[in-house]
Amino acid sequence: MDYKRLSVTEIREAISSRETSCEDYVSFVLESIAKRDKKTRSYITVDAEGAIEAAKAVDAKVRAGRKLGKLGGLPVAIKDNICTYGIRTTCASKILERFVPPYDATAVIRTKSEDGIILGKTNMDEFAMGNSTATSYFGPVNNPWMDGHTPGGSSGGSAAAVAMGLAPLALGSDTGGSVRCPASFCGVVGVKPTYGLVSRYGLIAYASSLEQIGPIGKTVSDCALLLDVIAGPDSRDSTSVAPTNVNLSALKRELKGLKVGVPKEWLGEGTQRPVTRTFWRAMDKLSEVGATWTEISVDSLSLSLAAYYIIAMAEASSNLARYDGVRYGLSHETTAGDWNAIYSKTRSNGFGAEVKRRIMLGSYVLSAGYYEAYYLKAQKIRTLLKNEFARLLRKFDLFAGPTMPVLPFRFDKLPSPLESYRIDVNTIAANLTGLPAISVPAGFAEGLPIGLQFHAAPFREDLLFTAAHAFESAADLRMLPPGAS
Ligand code: GLN
């Protein structure tokens, strides 16, 4: 069967109607990984045996005449900071290089229970800190569209795997853009759900008040399918909430009456010209399918980047305190009884430079005397931004902007840490406010993909899907990178 030409829905259908077997399809994907991932490096761990075994179970279910779950035998790649029972979960860090979780994250349990097949664990920036995968202990992921360029991050492995056909669907996590940035840089679709829609149980914490697990797929409807599977309240995550109906029938091609606000701060200085050009062309397309848009100003956006990095680093410094080399993960033996020396050796050796930088800055902004000056102020900005968006959401259904202000950059021209923080300027607002957001391919410049981003009111993922799907249908971009299967 020529899987390359089939959509996710068609493959699912073929499996349930026994036109093909799940085992045949999963073997095809595993072979593609074996052939092509040496160059892309989107996976850290591939669980070929487990995937084939699960595929056989799906085939047995079909043969027995039982109805399959929503994923119907489709394989899913999982970012390596989402715990998988019995499969090593490293966070792309040396400190967790040999960590094998004794449990599944809720999102993984739900994927399996809807007959999704776990393919393996995808590469990322260490502890999800970054937007390029350059900080991965296992080496960076290559952009599927152009060698030597970043696929974006931190969920770069998940996005690159989907773009290359090395997984039809993937899960990432988004603390400040980590699903949307790589989706944009790899020419695929990525969703950051409303805070609380998806359980964070089993997601290895970076900044707990900001992050969500989100789907990555080739199309908007693929993402809607996977989000529908993983969303829902969970007694193991007290921040998860009940309103979960992700309305798939919302995928319309017309947007009559939909009002879109375009914050001018999302097209500010530092936005590269091809990005601006592609964005406005996309907005023209959106008008053609019935939406109206207005340029607006969101004043507190100009403060949001600083607020994001203060809060994210503060939470990281606290969340990462658990890696002490005593309970699990890397441990450095030293003179018996000298705990401080063990901690210090383990942490110095186990964490990379960016992670250390953030632990130090995070501890600094939380320390006596600086707490009020930095952390508290950042929280106030967060509230300002939330209120400002809430006010604007009475007038607008959606906000739109380019997902990333720049094109995927080259690994040999990596931005400095500060420059790298600055290019998150358009993605971090959704995390500070908890709003849902989506990135959908908008076009190309210099052979590299550019993403269009929408934000909506809390739990209005249906509006995101409607707008992104209408745009996707109207734009009709052919998104197959060279060598993809
Ligand atoms: N680039 C941002 C950061 O490094 C976002 C990362 C993420 O969403 N995990 O914090």
Side-chain angles (χ1 to χ4, degrees), residues 79 81 125 127-131 153-155 173-180 206 211 308-309 312 354 358 420-421 424 427-428 431:
K79 186 177 181 182
N81 60 349
D125 283 289
F127 280 99
M129 296 173 185
N131 46 30
S154 62
S155 318
S173 69
D174 192 311
T175 311
S178 277
V179 161
R180 292 160 287 152
Y206 157 18
E211 56 210 9
Y308 167 79
Y309 270 98
E354 183 59 32
R358 294 186 187 208
S420 132
Y421 303 161
D424 293 335
T427 49
I428 45 95
N431 307 80

Coordinates of all heavy atoms in Angstrom, one line a residue, residues 79 81 125 127-131 153-155 173-180 206 211 308-309 312 354 358 420-421 424 427-428 431, ligand 1:
K79 N 7.3 13.0 22.8 CA 8.4 13.9 23.2 C 9.1 13.2 24.4 O 8.4 12.7 25.3 CB 8.0 15.3 23.5 CG 9.1 16.3 23.8 CD 8.5 17.7 24.0 CE 9.6 18.7 24.3 NZ 9.0 20.1 24.5
N81 N 10.1 14.1 27.2 CA 9.9 14.6 28.5 C 8.5 14.2 29.0 O 8.0 14.6 30.0 CB 10.0 16.1 28.6 CG 9.0 16.9 27.8 OD1 8.4 16.3 26.9 ND2 8.9 18.2 28.0
D125 N 15.1 20.0 23.1 CA 16.1 20.8 23.9 C 16.1 20.2 25.3 O 15.1 19.8 25.8 CB 15.7 22.3 23.9 CG 16.0 23.0 22.7 OD1 17.2 23.2 22.4 OD2 15.1 23.4 21.9
F127 N 15.6 19.4 28.8 CA 14.5 19.9 29.7 C 13.6 20.9 29.1 O 12.9 21.7 29.8 CB 15.1 20.4 31.1 CG 15.4 19.3 32.0 CD1 16.8 18.9 32.1 CD2 14.5 18.6 32.7 CE1 17.1 17.8 33.0 CE2 14.8 17.6 33.6 CZ 16.1 17.2 33.7
A128 N 13.5 20.8 27.8 CA 12.5 21.7 27.0 C 12.9 23.2 27.1 O 12.1 24.0 26.9 CB 11.1 21.5 27.5
M129 N 14.2 23.4 27.4 CA 14.6 24.8 27.5 C 15.3 25.2 26.2 O 16.5 24.9 26.0 CB 15.5 25.0 28.7 CG 14.8 24.7 30.0 SD 16.0 24.7 31.4 CE 14.9 24.2 32.7
G130 N 14.6 25.9 25.4 CA 15.2 26.4 24.1 C 14.2 26.4 23.0 O 13.1 26.0 23.1
N131 N 14.7 26.8 21.8 CA 13.8 26.8 20.6 C 14.5 26.3 19.4 O 14.2 26.7 18.3 CB 13.2 28.2 20.4 CG 14.2 29.3 20.5 OD1 15.4 29.0 20.2 ND2 13.8 30.4 21.0
G153 N 12.3 24.4 18.4 CA 12.3 23.6 19.6 C 11.3 24.2 20.6 O 10.7 25.2 20.3
S154 N 11.1 23.6 21.7 CA 12.0 22.5 22.1 C 11.5 21.1 21.5 O 12.3 20.2 21.4 CB 12.1 22.4 23.6 OG 10.8 22.1 24.2
S155 N 10.2 21.0 21.1 CA 9.7 19.7 20.6 C 10.2 19.5 19.1 O 9.4 19.1 18.3 CB 8.2 19.6 20.7 OG 7.7 20.2 21.9
S173 N 5.4 19.3 24.1 CA 5.0 20.1 25.2 C 5.3 21.5 24.9 O 6.3 21.8 24.2 CB 5.6 19.6 26.5 OG 7.0 19.9 26.5
D174 N 4.5 22.4 25.4 CA 4.6 23.8 25.1 C 4.5 24.6 26.4 O 3.5 24.8 27.0 CB 3.4 24.2 24.2 CG 3.6 25.6 23.5 OD1 3.9 26.5 24.2 OD2 3.5 25.7 22.3
T175 N 5.7 25.2 26.8 CA 5.8 26.0 28.0 C 5.8 27.5 27.6 O 5.4 28.3 28.4 CB 7.1 25.6 28.7 OG1 7.2 24.2 28.9 CG2 7.2 26.3 30.1
G176 N 6.4 27.7 26.4 CA 6.5 29.1 25.9 C 6.5 29.1 24.4 O 7.0 30.1 23.8
G177 N 6.1 28.0 23.8 CA 6.1 28.0 22.3 C 6.6 26.7 21.8 O 6.7 26.5 20.6
S178 N 7.0 25.7 22.6 CA 7.7 24.6 22.2 C 7.0 23.6 21.3 O 7.6 22.7 20.7 CB 8.3 23.8 23.4 OG 9.5 24.4 23.8
V179 N 5.7 23.7 21.2 CA 5.0 22.9 20.2 C 4.9 23.8 18.9 O 5.1 23.3 17.8 CB 3.6 22.5 20.6 CG1 2.7 22.1 19.5 CG2 3.7 21.3 21.6
R180 N 4.5 25.1 19.1 CA 4.2 25.9 17.9 C 5.5 26.3 17.1 O 5.5 26.4 15.9 CB 3.5 27.2 18.4 CG 2.1 26.8 18.9 CD 1.5 27.9 19.8 NE 2.1 27.9 21.1 CZ 2.2 29.0 21.9 NH1 1.8 30.1 21.4 NH2 2.8 28.9 23.0
Y206 N 9.0 21.5 33.7 CA 9.9 22.6 33.5 C 9.4 23.8 34.2 O 9.9 24.3 35.3 CB 10.2 22.8 32.0 CG 10.6 24.2 31.5 CD1 11.3 25.1 32.4 CD2 10.5 24.5 30.2 CE1 11.7 26.3 31.9 CE2 11.0 25.8 29.7 CZ 11.5 26.6 30.6 OH 12.0 27.9 30.1
E211 N 2.9 25.3 31.3 CA 3.0 24.3 30.2 C 1.8 23.4 30.0 O 1.1 23.1 30.9 CB 4.3 23.4 30.3 CG 4.4 22.7 31.7 CD 5.9 22.6 32.0 OE1 6.8 23.1 31.3 OE2 6.2 21.9 33.0
Y308 N 7.8 36.4 31.2 CA 7.8 34.9 30.9 C 9.2 34.3 31.4 O 9.2 33.3 32.1 CB 7.7 34.7 29.4 CG 8.0 33.2 29.1 CD1 7.1 32.2 29.3 CD2 9.3 32.9 28.6 CE1 7.5 30.9 29.1 CE2 9.6 31.6 28.3 CZ 8.7 30.6 28.6 OH 9.1 29.3 28.3
Y309 N 10.3 34.9 31.0 CA 11.6 34.3 31.4 C 11.8 34.3 32.9 O 12.4 33.4 33.4 CB 12.7 34.9 30.5 CG 12.8 34.1 29.3 CD1 12.3 34.5 28.0 CD2 13.4 32.8 29.3 CE1 12.3 33.6 26.9 CE2 13.5 32.0 28.2 CZ 13.0 32.4 27.0 OH 13.0 31.6 25.9
A312 N 9.4 31.5 34.1 CA 9.8 30.2 33.7 C 11.1 29.7 34.4 O 11.2 28.6 34.9 CB 10.0 30.2 32.2
E354 N 22.8 25.6 29.4 CA 21.6 26.4 29.4 C 20.7 26.1 30.6 O 20.2 27.0 31.2 CB 20.8 26.1 28.1 CG 19.5 27.0 27.9 CD 19.8 28.5 28.0 OE1 20.8 28.9 27.5 OE2 18.9 29.2 28.5
R358 N 19.7 28.7 33.7 CA 18.3 29.0 34.1 C 18.1 28.7 35.6 O 17.4 29.4 36.3 CB 17.3 28.2 33.3 CG 17.4 28.7 31.8 CD 16.3 28.1 31.0 NE 16.5 28.5 29.6 CZ 15.5 28.6 28.7 NH1 14.3 28.3 29.1 NH2 15.7 28.9 27.5
S420 N 18.2 34.3 21.6 CA 17.3 33.2 21.4 C 16.0 33.4 22.3 O 14.9 33.0 21.8 CB 18.0 31.9 21.8 OG 17.3 31.1 22.7
Y421 N 16.1 34.0 23.5 CA 14.9 34.2 24.3 C 14.0 35.2 23.5 O 12.8 35.1 23.5 CB 15.2 34.9 25.6 CG 16.2 34.0 26.5 CD1 16.9 34.6 27.5 CD2 16.4 32.7 26.3 CE1 17.8 33.9 28.3 CE2 17.3 31.9 27.0 CZ 18.0 32.6 28.1 OH 18.8 31.8 28.8
D424 N 11.1 34.2 21.1 CA 9.9 33.6 21.6 C 8.8 34.6 21.8 O 7.8 34.3 22.4 CB 10.2 32.9 22.9 CG 11.1 31.7 22.8 OD1 11.1 31.1 21.7 OD2 11.7 31.4 23.8
T427 N 5.1 33.7 21.0 CA 4.5 32.5 21.5 C 4.2 32.5 23.0 O 3.4 31.8 23.4 CB 5.4 31.2 21.1 OG1 6.7 31.5 21.5 CG2 5.3 30.9 19.7
I428 N 5.0 33.3 23.7 CA 4.9 33.2 25.2 C 3.6 33.7 25.8 O 3.2 33.3 26.9 CB 6.1 33.8 25.9 CG1 6.5 35.1 25.3 CG2 7.3 32.9 25.7 CD1 5.9 36.3 26.0
N431 N 1.1 31.2 26.9 CA 1.4 30.4 28.1 C 1.2 31.3 29.4 O 0.7 30.8 30.4 CB 2.8 29.9 28.0 CG 3.1 29.1 26.7 OD1 3.3 29.7 25.7 ND2 3.0 27.8 26.8
Ligands
GLN1 N1 11.9 28.7 24.2 C1 11.1 28.8 25.4 C2 12.0 28.5 26.6 O1 13.1 28.1 26.4 C3 10.0 27.9 25.4 C4 10.3 26.5 25.6 C5 9.1 25.6 25.8 O2 8.0 25.9 25.4 N2 9.3 24.4 26.5 O3 11.6 28.6 27.7

